[in-house]
């Protein structure tokens, strides 16, 4: 087709496009009432009173332009000729052309798809189960009925198409809702509660009915029982084709039915190296719930006036990376954090004694606090020199030594805990052995990171610790065995799993790259952990 074949769409970008759309909708409404021809005054009366032009001449000009573009056809109006001079007057009646009607149908489909909100149709899942069971009954007959087969397959594909299209539209609109920045907070909070309940109901139906649908599809595909049903449906669909085109029409229809069935099977049944669309939809729906909660958290922070510290630190990190040299980076550090020397705020024994005798509450405003007394000499000359012997500089070497010992001890304890947990490959949790308090606390943190990524139906998960120094791989076992991890504070027990803990900070040559020590709980913390998903551990 050439560009001239699409001239019926020219009125969409022309001046007065809203008027052209109103005129075309008036012709479509008249067609539904079985009115074929319309006069200009009929069109004028059918227009919306609030948007119609001031006079009939504007409508007549719009009709003539639509005739020029091929949307309408104009015929002389001889019905109103009562005298010879009426033949010389310009009178026409108008009707839709095939091109104009097709253009309006395309625009109606466009508006419908663009405005579709989408929905997750749990009822469609029940209908698909019903039709699959009907096909099982039909295929069990000695001679399946072509009419029943065709109707069952038609309803099945129609419901499946509605389910897939609406689910795709719903997830797209849901993502747009999550991405909204300017939205009324109260309205979104109310909408969020209803949406989460809606998602949870659909996910529950998809888990139960999706597995049932996959089993029914497997039963139908056993012993190649689907192909005969598809051939019956294709033969019935091509029954009205011309004799010379019957064979080709039936072959085309069979390919179409085979593609529909393949799409249905792939939507509900996972293959080798490929997850089904139902599983992907379930994961997407599950993932949207935390995203919605994150939006709510952002809205609450926005209402509370909280600043985004993570964005500030990322900006500061870019500034450090863009600094030309170490001297500039040191200056940026001092300006950003102010962790430099504070000798200008010296507190001596006299100051401490005065504060002890007359304490000043921290809540006292500066305007009401005792004034700072400045030496008249400093005010007069701009400099002040203390007379007498200089005050001795406090020796903080002992405090620094104690801090260094504490840091070294914590680093060593963390290193031993990390070395103790590294498995060197997948091992059973029951063979992990006894753990000291520090190793057990680190183990609980790694286990919590792995369980945070666990989803319904998951058998293997991988997670990285918060500091990025260790990785844990957790795999569920189906043998029903139980694991016990002994600690000085108790026994940690639950279903046995395969566990693989890797130290990511080990560099080349087997040397460990120093990593910041994680903050571990004290050794006196009792063992008290009970996980519900996947119910990995419980106390005893």
């Amino acid at each position: 087709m050439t560009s001239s074949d699409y001239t019926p769409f020219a009125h969409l970008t022309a001046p007065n496009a809203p008027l052209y759309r109103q005129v075309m909708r008036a012709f479509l409404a008249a067609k539904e009432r079985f009115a074929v021809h319309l006069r200009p005054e009929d069109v004028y009366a059918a227009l919306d009173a609030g948007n119609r032009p001031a006079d009939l001449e504007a409508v007549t000009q719009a009709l003539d332009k639509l005739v020029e573009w091929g949307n309408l056809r104009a015929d002389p109006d001889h019905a109103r000729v009562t005298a010879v001079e009426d033949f010389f007057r310009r009178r026409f009646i108008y009707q839709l052309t095939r091109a104009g009607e097709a253009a309006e149908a395309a625009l109606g489909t466009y508006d419908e798809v663009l405005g579709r909100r989408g929905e997750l149709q749990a009822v469609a899942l029940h209908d698909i189960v019903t039709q699959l069971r009907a096909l099982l009954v039909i295929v069990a007959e000695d001679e399946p009925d072509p009419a029943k087969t065709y109707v069952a397959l038609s309803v099945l594909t129609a419901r499946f198409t509605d389910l897939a299209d609406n689910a795709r539209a719903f997830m797209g609109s849901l993502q747009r809702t999550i991405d909204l920045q300017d939205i009324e907070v109260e309205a979104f909070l109310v909408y969020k509660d209803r949406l989460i309940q809606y998602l949870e109901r659909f996910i529950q139906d998809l888990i139960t009915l999706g597995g049932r649908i996959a089993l029914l599809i497997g039963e139908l595909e056993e012993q190649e029982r689907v192909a005969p049903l598809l051939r019956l449906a294709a033969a019935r669909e091509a029954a009205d084709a011309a004799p010379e085109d019957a064979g080709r029409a039936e072959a085309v229809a069979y390919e179409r039915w085979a593609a529909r069935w393949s799409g249905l099977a792939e939507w509900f049944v996972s293959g080798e190296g490929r997850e089904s669309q139902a599983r992907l939809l379930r994961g997407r729906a599950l993932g949207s719930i935390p995203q919605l909660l994150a939006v709510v958290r952002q809205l609450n922070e926005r209402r509370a006036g909280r600043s985004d510290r993570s964005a500030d630190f990322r900006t500061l990190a870019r500034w450090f990376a863009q600094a030309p040299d170490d001297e500039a980076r040191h200056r940026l550090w001092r300006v950003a954090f102010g962790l430099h020397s504070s000798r200008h705020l010296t507190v001596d024994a006299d100051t401490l004694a005065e504060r002890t005798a007359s304490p000043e509450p921290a809540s006292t405003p500066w305007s009401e606090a005792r004034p700072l007394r400045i030496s008249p000499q400093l005010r007069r000359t701009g400099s002040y020199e203390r007379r007498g012997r200089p005050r001795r500089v406090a020796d903080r070497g002992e405090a620094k030594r104690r801090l260094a010992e504490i840091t070294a001890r914590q680093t060593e304890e963390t290193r031993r805990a990390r070395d103790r947990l590294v498995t060197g490959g997948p091992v059973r949790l029951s063979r992990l052995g006894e753990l000291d308090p520090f190793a057990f606390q680190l183990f609980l943190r790694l286990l919590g990171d792995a369980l945070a990524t666990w989803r319904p139906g998951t058998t293997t998960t991988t997670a990285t610790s918060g500091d990025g120094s260790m990785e844990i791989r957790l795999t569920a076992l189906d043998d029903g065995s139980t694991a016990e991890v002994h600690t000085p504070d108790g026994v940690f027990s639950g279903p046995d799993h395969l566990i693989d803990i890797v130290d990511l900070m080990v560099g080349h040559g087997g040397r460990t790259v120093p990593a910041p020590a994680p903050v571990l709980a004290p050794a006196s913390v009792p063992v008290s952990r009970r996980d519900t998903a996947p119910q990995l551990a419980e106390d005893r």
Side-chain angles (χ1 to χ4, degrees):
M1 299 181 68
T2 61
S3 58
S4 60
D5 296 323
Y6 299 104
T7 53
F9 293 96
H11 67 286
L12 300 176
T13 56
N16 297 326
L19 176 60
Y20 297 135
R21 292 300 308 276
Q22 289 187 66
V23 171
M24 294 301 296
R25 281 194 289 266
F27 276 93
L28 287 178
K31 184 176 181 295
E32 293 177 357
R33 301 191 305 270
F34 302 101
V36 179
H37 298 88
L38 293 180
R39 295 184 174 90
E41 52 269 25
D42 298 331
V43 177
Y44 184 82
L47 298 181
D48 185 15
N51 297 322
R52 69 175 56 153
D55 54 0
L56 181 62
E57 183 61 26
V59 175
T60 304
Q61 294 177 1
L63 291 171
D64 293 337
K65 293 296 294 183
L66 290 170
V67 171
E68 179 182 343
W69 289 321
N71 301 80
L72 302 176
R73 193 183 76 185
D75 297 316
D77 187 6
H78 298 303
R80 293 186 295 175
V81 175
T82 58
V84 175
E85 57 270 15
D86 290 340
F87 281 99
F88 299 98
R89 294 178 181 176
R90 189 173 179 272
R91 298 176 184 272
F92 291 99
I93 55 176
Y94 300 88
Q95 70 175 17
L96 275 173
T97 62
R98 290 182 59 189
E101 186 175 354
E104 287 303 309
L107 292 174
T109 303
Y110 175 81
D111 293 336
E112 178 185 358
V113 172
L114 193 63
R116 178 183 295 172
R117 181 66 178 88
E119 57 188 5
L120 299 176
Q121 297 176 321
V123 177
L125 295 171
H126 291 275
D127 294 342
I128 292 174
V129 171
T130 301
Q131 297 305 319
L132 288 173
R133 287 175 175 172
L135 288 175
L136 281 174
V137 174
I138 293 173
V139 79
E141 299 175 355
D142 295 335
E143 294 184 2
D145 190 337
K148 293 180 180 179
T149 302
Y150 180 79
V151 171
L153 285 173
S154 298
V155 175
L156 176 63
T157 54
R159 296 301 288 152
F160 166 67
T161 302
D162 290 342
L163 171 67
D165 292 344
N166 281 281
R168 183 167 55 250
F170 178 82
M171 298 312 297
S173 61
L174 176 61
Q175 187 60 49
R176 289 192 294 272
T177 301
I178 294 174
D179 293 339
L180 284 178
Q181 299 296 329
D182 299 327
I183 186 173
E184 295 184 3
V185 177
E186 300 300 333
F188 180 80
L189 293 179
V190 175
Y191 171 73
K192 177 265 302 181
D193 293 334
R194 296 199 306 266
L195 181 60
I196 290 179
Q197 295 176 2
Y198 181 66
L199 288 171
E200 289 176 345
R201 288 198 306 270
F202 178 77
I203 291 170
Q204 182 178 2
D205 290 337
L206 185 61
I207 291 174
T208 57
L209 296 178
R212 194 178 307 170
I213 291 172
L215 291 177
L216 292 173
I217 292 175
E219 292 183 22
L220 282 170
E221 290 184 344
E222 289 179 358
Q223 301 177 359
E224 300 182 356
R225 292 188 290 180
V226 175
L229 295 178
L230 300 181
R231 290 192 180 91
L232 286 176
R236 183 173 179 81
E237 184 176 332
D240 295 332
E244 61 274 12
D245 296 333
R248 178 178 174 276
E250 184 174 348
V252 172
Y254 177 77
E255 292 180 0
R256 184 162 53 248
W257 280 109
R260 293 170 181 171
W261 179 265
S262 176
L264 173 67
E266 291 180 356
W267 214 88
F268 289 99
V269 181
S270 300
E272 184 177 355
R274 176 190 58 80
E275 287 188 325
S276 64
Q277 293 295 321
R279 183 180 292 273
L280 294 176
L281 176 62
R282 186 176 65 193
R284 181 67 182 85
L286 283 171
S288 63
I289 295 178
Q291 292 180 7
L292 282 170
L293 297 179
V295 172
V296 174
R297 184 169 60 252
Q298 292 175 4
L299 291 175
N300 290 332
E301 291 178 355
R302 188 185 307 170
R303 287 195 298 179
R306 293 179 58 183
S307 60
D308 188 358
R309 294 299 182 191
S310 60
D312 295 341
F313 283 125
R314 284 194 294 269
T315 302
L316 184 61
R318 285 195 297 271
W319 290 351
F320 273 107
Q322 296 170 359
D325 49 31
D326 287 343
E327 183 178 356
R329 281 186 279 270
H330 285 302
R331 288 199 304 270
L332 180 59
W333 171 269
R334 288 193 296 271
V335 171
F337 300 102
L339 299 179
H340 47 71
S341 175
S342 302
R343 293 190 177 184
H344 60 288
L345 297 178
T346 302
V347 177
D348 53 14
D350 297 338
T351 305
L352 293 176
E354 182 181 357
R355 290 182 180 180
T356 303
S358 178
E360 190 80 42
S363 59
T364 304
W366 281 45
S367 59
E368 300 176 6
R370 292 192 300 270
L372 177 66
R373 302 186 180 279
I374 302 175
S375 169
Q377 182 180 357
L378 177 62
R379 184 180 305 169
R380 183 175 59 255
T381 63
S383 63
Y384 173 74
E385 294 182 2
R386 184 181 181 89
R387 300 299 180 182
R389 295 179 58 186
R391 188 178 300 274
R392 295 182 59 184
V393 178
D395 184 9
R396 295 183 173 84
E398 180 65 20
K400 292 181 179 179
R401 185 187 61 79
R402 290 180 57 193
L403 289 176
E405 291 178 355
I406 294 174
T407 302
R409 185 174 66 253
Q410 290 181 348
T411 302
E412 179 63 21
E413 291 172 346
T414 303
R415 185 192 62 77
R416 288 200 301 266
R418 292 162 60 92
D419 294 342
R420 173 64 181 84
L421 290 179
V422 172
T423 59
V427 298
R428 283 180 172 266
L429 186 59
S430 56
R431 301 188 60 184
L432 199 58
E434 184 174 355
L435 299 178
D436 60 73
F438 280 95
F440 183 64
Q441 292 295 330
L442 182 57
F443 168 72
L444 287 183
R445 295 183 62 183
L446 290 172
L447 188 61
D449 293 335
L451 294 178
T453 63
W454 203 277
R455 294 291 182 269
T458 302
T459 57
T460 301
T461 186
T462 302
T464 306
S465 60
D467 59 358
S469 62
M470 302 194 76
E471 182 181 80
I472 179 173
R473 301 185 184 97
L474 193 65
T475 303
L477 299 175
D478 55 359
D479 56 2
S481 57
T482 302
E484 291 186 352
V485 178
H486 293 265
T487 71
D489 301 308
V491 179
F492 186 80
S493 63
D496 202 2
H497 285 64
L498 279 181
I499 188 171
D500 185 9
I501 300 178
V502 181
D503 189 351
L504 300 178
M505 302 303 293
V506 176
H508 297 287
R511 299 185 62 186
T512 302
V513 181
V519 179
L520 300 178
S524 61
V525 175
V527 178
S528 59
R529 181 174 181 87
R530 186 180 302 275
D531 294 305
T532 57
Q535 297 184 357
L536 183 63
E538 57 188 37
D539 296 336
R540 192 177 66 184

